[in-house]
Amino acid sequence: QIGTVPGHSLVLSEGHMITVDGGGKVPASTIKEGDMLLTATDELAVVKYIRGVERKGAFAPFTTSGTIVVNDIVASNYIAYQSSENLHIGGIDTTLSFQWLAHTFNSMHRLMVMGGSTNETYTTDGVSVWVDIPHKLFSWVLQQNSIIVAISLIPAIAIFGISSFIETLILNTDSRLSFSLVLCLLFVVRRAVFATKKTKVL
């Protein structure tokens, strides 16, 4: 349980991420007294106390933004798999935040829901299969050597990066317009190149 001034508090697992001053999302286990947490009104709340508590049951909602407000404190939908904001591979601190990785990897799930999918199934622990399988797979990958981690992540980031890009186009009108303009431009360039080649042949 993390309590702040002026009187906000929230209970979350030690791996669950919370938003700190500057907008970064770090695991709750790294929070210390005196740290500054971001509130829903874009103000900062000072951490007054941290105490261990036991609770029965938990909620893990997923939002389009990847964040959620709990008792006026901005938290993440996701957990960190290491005690840091960013992924570490072989002792190297990468620029890939766990927030970005989790939100990107979950884009396929969100697209399915947008498409009208209602076939959500859960494990006996109440965890969505869409989350449980990638969670176990990613946990296993991080236990391997740095070469296997890198080889596994590169294609995964490429695939889910595409689904995340598609999601952005669907949600953002300006992005859809820009994408359409790019396609039109590519079509015009292709036609121009084709016409030039045809002229040279003649």
Side-chain angles (χ1 to χ4, degrees), residues 188-202:
V188 171
V189 171
R190 182 177 178 277
R191 288 294 298 270
V193 172
F194 180 76
T196 301
K197 290 182 177 179
K198 187 174 181 181
T199 301
K200 287 182 178 179
V201 171
L202 294 176

Side-chain angles (χ1 to χ4, degrees), residues 9-47:
S9 70
L10 71 162
V11 177
L12 67 173
S13 69
E14 62 180 13
H16 207 99
M17 292 186 285
I18 190 168
T19 310
V20 295
D21 184 15
K25 293 172 177 57
V26 301
S29 60
T30 65
I31 297 295
K32 305 180 297 297
E33 291 183 8
D35 284 352
M36 309 290 282
L37 306 182
L38 185 68
T39 69
T41 55
D42 286 331
E43 298 177 330
L44 295 175
V46 183
V47 175

